[in-house]
Amino acid sequence: MAALDLRYLFEDAEETSPDGLANYESLDFVSNGSHLYGEILWPSKAFDKPHPCVIMLHGYPGSARNDDISHALCRAGCVVLVPHHRGAWGSQGKYLVTHCVEDAYNLALYAHSDEFAEKYDVDKENIFLLGHSMGGNSALNAGKKIDWLKGIIMLAPYDPTCLLDSGKEAYLTSLLNEGKILQSDGLDSIYEDILKNRNNLEFVKAFEQVQNKNLLVFTALYDSVSINEKMVKPLWKLLEENSKSNRAANKSSAIQKLIEYPVEHGLLGRRISVIKETGSFIKACLELS
């Protein structure tokens, strides 16, 4: 069974053999015809195999990589994929929010494949999606479609449908101008993609498909980007009601935890806590096996 050693989230393990060192290599994965670039990290052979696998999904426009989390999880025994979505930071294709969801789904299937599992000693039944901001949307809306996914982790998740009713101009001004560094067909194209697919992207509408999935969600009390009361709380209220019903009926429930910190959107000031909670969540999910 895959396992983690949480001691090494913030501590380097003593390596004993140069033939089994932790390392990384470039990721070059084709998603719907476009090459996604990034990196794959794996732990040392001091850890028993197979390993859990965490796929890190960046937000909009992709400048925040969350490498502190990636390296901590790798030190503790995870294989970690760190991709750049289509149109972001050198990856091929055009950036769209729905493309990010498709990329996340395709990467999860790749991590679940025999080829990947054998090459990187991955436990195919212990794969997680982790996303920050718009990456939280990618993790949720890709993960809801995958029955075997072990868990979904969202950091200050952004529901791209939340502000659509404020009007196109206000929506573009509030967020999408950061997209000038992306390869896309323009801000109008990104906006129209969200508008067209709002029923498939809105967080609360994922409830039926994620009600029995393992979920860890971090929110920020002073978040100036993700509006937690409108983006996270409607879904979480339904999840809490479902969990209460399961307990009343003596049914087993998934691990579902919501944590709020008194920080801004990037969760700076609580990054250590985020890593500890993420490691503990993954370990608890593994122990369900």
Side-chain angles (χ1 to χ4, degrees):
M1 184 183 74
L4 288 189
D5 191 332
L6 300 185
R7 292 177 300 169
Y8 298 120
L9 287 174
F10 303 104
E11 181 180 328
D12 292 319
E14 291 293 331
E15 306 294 0
T16 57
S17 170
D19 297 324
L21 300 177
N23 208 346
Y24 70 96
E25 66 183 14
S26 296
L27 170 69
D28 183 354
F29 172 73
V30 179
S31 177
N32 290 24
S34 296
H35 286 262
L36 306 184
Y37 303 121
E39 60 185 346
I40 305 171
L41 297 79
W42 60 87
S44 76
K45 290 188 177 178
F47 290 92
D48 291 336
K49 57 184 182 181
H51 309 296
C53 178
V54 181
I55 303 169
M56 305 286 295
L57 304 168
H58 65 72
Y60 184 95
S63 50
R65 284 171 41 95
N66 297 295
D67 283 343
D68 54 341
I69 301 174
S70 301
H71 284 274
L73 294 179
C74 182
R75 283 195 302 272
C78 291
V79 170
V80 184
L81 275 71
V82 186
H84 296 298
H85 288 292
R86 273 178 270 177
W89 298 97
S91 289
Q92 294 180 348
K94 299 293 181 67
Y95 182 92
L96 289 174
V97 170
T98 54
H99 285 177
C100 293
V101 175
E102 291 168 3
D103 293 344
Y105 180 83
N106 293 338
L107 283 159
L109 294 185
Y110 174 50
H112 190 66
S113 68
D114 290 339
E115 173 192 359
F116 187 89
E118 291 171 7
K119 182 175 182 179
Y120 297 102
D121 296 320
V122 162
D123 186 336
K124 294 169 56 177
E125 304 308 314
N126 286 300
I127 296 170
F128 298 79
L129 291 175
L130 185 157
H132 171 248
S133 192
M134 194 76 82
N137 170 71
S138 304
L140 178 68
N141 284 307
K144 72 184 183 184
K145 306 173 187 176
I146 305 173
D147 292 338
W148 45 259
L149 192 72
K150 196 66 172 184
I152 298 170
I153 304 162
M154 300 191 292
L155 285 65
Y158 186 85
D159 183 339
T161 72
C162 184
L163 300 177
L164 286 175
D165 293 333
S166 63
K168 181 176 181 179
E169 183 176 348
Y171 189 88
L172 293 175
T173 301
S174 68
L175 174 70
L176 297 181
N177 282 332
E178 292 185 33
K180 62 191 176 201
I181 65 174
L182 297 169
Q183 293 297 316
S184 73
D185 287 326
L187 300 182
D188 286 346
S189 176
I190 296 172
Y191 173 82
E192 294 298 331
D193 174 62
I194 297 168
L195 185 64
K196 179 181 177 181
N197 293 282
R198 67 184 303 171
N199 287 334
N200 295 322
L201 296 173
E202 187 178 359
F203 282 9
V204 73
K205 292 181 178 176
F207 167 71
E208 292 292 336
Q209 292 168 285
V210 302
Q211 60 180 311
N212 296 314
K213 288 188 178 295
N214 299 318
L215 295 168
L216 175 62
V217 182
F218 297 97
T219 62
L221 179 61
Y222 304 114
D223 201 326
S224 59
V225 177
S226 294
I227 306 170
N228 298 322
E229 289 299 320
K230 294 182 178 180
M231 296 184 182
V232 175
K233 292 298 176 65
L235 171 61
W236 204 260
K237 182 179 179 181
L238 293 177
L239 292 171
E240 287 181 327
E241 292 171 353
N242 181 66
S243 179
K244 187 181 298 183
S245 297
N246 285 342
R247 289 195 300 270
N250 291 320
K251 294 181 180 178
S252 60
S253 297
I255 300 172
Q256 295 178 348
K257 190 171 185 179
L258 174 65
I259 301 172
E260 184 174 72
Y261 294 126
V263 293
E264 247 285 9
H265 185 62
L267 300 170
L268 275 67
R270 290 295 185 275
R271 302 291 296 190
I272 300 298
S273 297
V274 167
I275 291 170
K276 289 179 178 178
E277 290 285 353
T278 299
S280 295
F281 170 76
I282 293 174
K283 184 176 176 64
C285 289
L286 299 180
E287 291 171 351
L288 291 175
S289 301

